[in-house]
Amino acid sequence: MQSKILIIADMEGCTGIADMGQYDVCREKMTEEVGRVIQSIENLEDADITVADCHNQGKNIVEHFSDKGYACCEHIWSIRDVEKYDCAMLVGFHPRNGETGFCPHTIRPDVDELFLGEKSIGEVELVINWLAGHGVPVVFVSGDEAVRKELDGHRCEFYVTNEAGKEDLDQKVLLEQMGPYIKRALDLVGVVKTRYDVSTVKVKLMGENYYKWLPQELFSIENGKVVFLDTESFILRLFSFCMFLNIADQYQRLRMSHLVKRIKKSSDCVEKDLRGEKLLNQKDWRALSDEEIMYLYRLSEANSV
């Protein structure tokens, strides 16, 4: 009987990725990494494999693996009948926001922090808990050393992707290196038991302006955080949550673009204002409050006269 294996893939934690600006290269590296995981599995057993592309819009590797005959999903919210899988493998994951490592963030740039109950978590723990709610153990994770630290207390095989020199190895050597990790991971199937943490999921956004775009009839906001009943509820509503955040992000981008143009037209007096200089140089533009933006507007108007 074929084992059913779900591969959930992100991009930033894949072997050889060092510059997200080179997106075609990143897609190639992501494809290669997932391909090595699949080949390592198939070298060991007959398996029914599904690939979920969970980076950005979820369209980076789907066409490639669909053409090879694998079932594919565009992002985590498209995965159906999760309970049918015997195990899951998380490939190419990155550290949470605020941590060291390559490209740390949590879900999106406008999310400051994610909580499961009172514990601050990243995407890797979020996905592990979601799968636990469906009785699916995560037996393998790949990413950089910073991701390994987030897995404290989770029993799974971890493959480090950012070891010095690994990016220069050819595909055959990389496949040989990964093989033993996948074997040990498959040996954990049926052994590792998962426990679903039923705690609420809370999301702290980067700035106050983002909360305004979340309809009160759809999202509960308490003490400066968006609150979801549990992890399952969060995943079910993640797509719509991101759509509203996209609107908020576009609004803030456009607002800041107009502000920057005004400041450029005015003299350098704005930068000579101590508070103005601090706001311009020391804060992420996403985090600027209405009051802080209006302060910069007033400065630019005063200095344009």
Side-chain angles (χ1 to χ4, degrees):
M1 184 176 182
Q2 282 186 321
S3 58
K4 290 180 167 38
I5 299 175
L6 173 63
I7 296 174
I8 299 179
D10 207 345
M11 180 179 284
E12 293 89 346
C14 292
T15 303
I17 292 181
D19 181 1
M20 292 301 292
Q22 297 181 325
Y23 205 76
D24 287 340
V25 174
C26 293
R27 288 181 64 189
E28 179 182 342
K29 297 296 184 184
M30 183 180 180
T31 303
E32 291 172 351
E33 187 95 335
V34 173
R36 287 192 294 273
V37 172
I38 290 174
Q39 189 171 346
S40 296
I41 294 170
E42 293 179 339
N43 285 345
L44 294 164
E45 63 176 63
D46 184 25
D48 180 3
I49 298 171
T50 298
V51 177
D53 179 346
C54 290
H55 180 76
N56 227 347
Q57 309 243 335
K59 300 179 184 293
N60 304 284
I61 60 175
V62 167
E63 183 177 354
H64 175 86
F65 288 105
S66 292
D67 288 346
K68 290 185 175 296
Y70 297 100
C72 293
C73 304
E74 295 180 3
H75 232 293
I76 194 168
W77 47 69
S78 299
I79 304 172
R80 299 289 180 263
D81 302 320
V82 184
E83 293 83 1
K84 72 181 181 182
Y85 295 103
D86 298 301
C87 69
M89 299 188 180
L90 311 186
V91 179
F93 274 65
H94 53 78
R96 69 185 184 186
N97 190 30
E99 295 297 322
T100 57
F102 178 69
C103 204
H105 62 280
T106 303
I107 302 176
R108 321 168 31 107
D110 42 32
V111 171
D112 186 41
E113 199 165 6
L114 180 70
F115 297 88
L116 180 59
E118 300 306 313
K119 182 184 179 183
S120 179
I121 64 170
E123 290 172 42
V124 67
E125 286 192 275
L126 175 75
V127 175
I128 288 173
N129 194 55
W130 174 65
L131 290 166
H134 293 272
V136 180
V138 171
V139 297
F140 174 88
V141 178
S142 73
D144 69 16
E145 281 286 1
V147 177
R148 189 203 292 269
K149 296 177 183 177
E150 297 181 35
L151 291 170
D152 184 37
H154 296 284
R155 187 182 178 189
C156 62
E157 195 65 24
F158 189 83
Y159 178 76
V160 182
T161 57
N162 66 335
E163 290 176 327
K166 185 171 283 189
E167 68 278 2
D168 296 324
L169 298 176
D170 63 33
Q171 293 300 305
K172 182 179 179 180
V173 175
L174 287 170
L175 179 64
E176 290 173 351
Q177 286 190 354
M178 181 176 282
Y181 292 86
I182 297 296
K183 183 180 186 307
R184 289 193 293 269
L186 292 174
D187 288 342
L188 292 175
V189 179
V191 176
V192 174
K193 303 299 179 183
T194 57
R195 184 185 68 83
Y196 182 57
D197 188 331
V198 299
S199 301
T200 57
V201 169
K202 293 174 281 189
V203 185
K204 180 183 177 185
L205 299 175
M206 189 65 72
E208 66 177 31
N209 289 297
Y210 288 86
Y211 295 96
K212 300 176 186 176
W213 294 87
L214 299 176
Q216 294 183 7
E217 66 273 17
L218 296 179
F219 301 99
S220 175
I221 300 172
E222 301 173 9
N223 300 319
K225 297 182 183 72
V226 189
V227 181
F228 299 84
L229 179 64
D230 58 8
T231 302
E232 177 69 11
S233 175
F234 177 68
I235 296 296
L236 286 173
R237 301 169 71 189
L238 182 56
F239 178 77
S240 59
F241 182 55
C242 287
M243 291 303 98
F244 283 107
L245 288 182
N246 286 343
I247 297 170
D249 188 68
Q250 187 61 31
Y251 166 79
Q252 189 78 338
R253 284 177 184 272
L254 184 60
R255 195 179 186 192
M256 293 307 299
S257 175
H258 282 283
L259 176 58
V260 169
K261 288 177 182 177
R262 292 180 69 97
I263 291 174
K264 285 182 177 179
K265 287 181 180 179
S266 66
S267 68
D268 62 354
C269 294
V270 176
E271 295 183 359
K272 291 180 180 179
D273 180 271
L274 291 179
R275 187 184 180 200
E277 182 183 22
K278 182 179 179 181
L279 291 176
L280 288 174
N281 299 324
Q282 297 182 19
K283 292 198 74 171
D284 189 310
W285 58 267
R286 297 178 185 88
L288 289 174
S289 66
D290 284 344
E291 190 276 329
E292 289 167 336
I293 291 173
M294 287 308 300
Y295 181 81
L296 290 171
Y297 261 107
R298 288 193 294 270
L299 274 181
S300 64
E301 288 176 352
N303 288 289
S304 63
V305 177

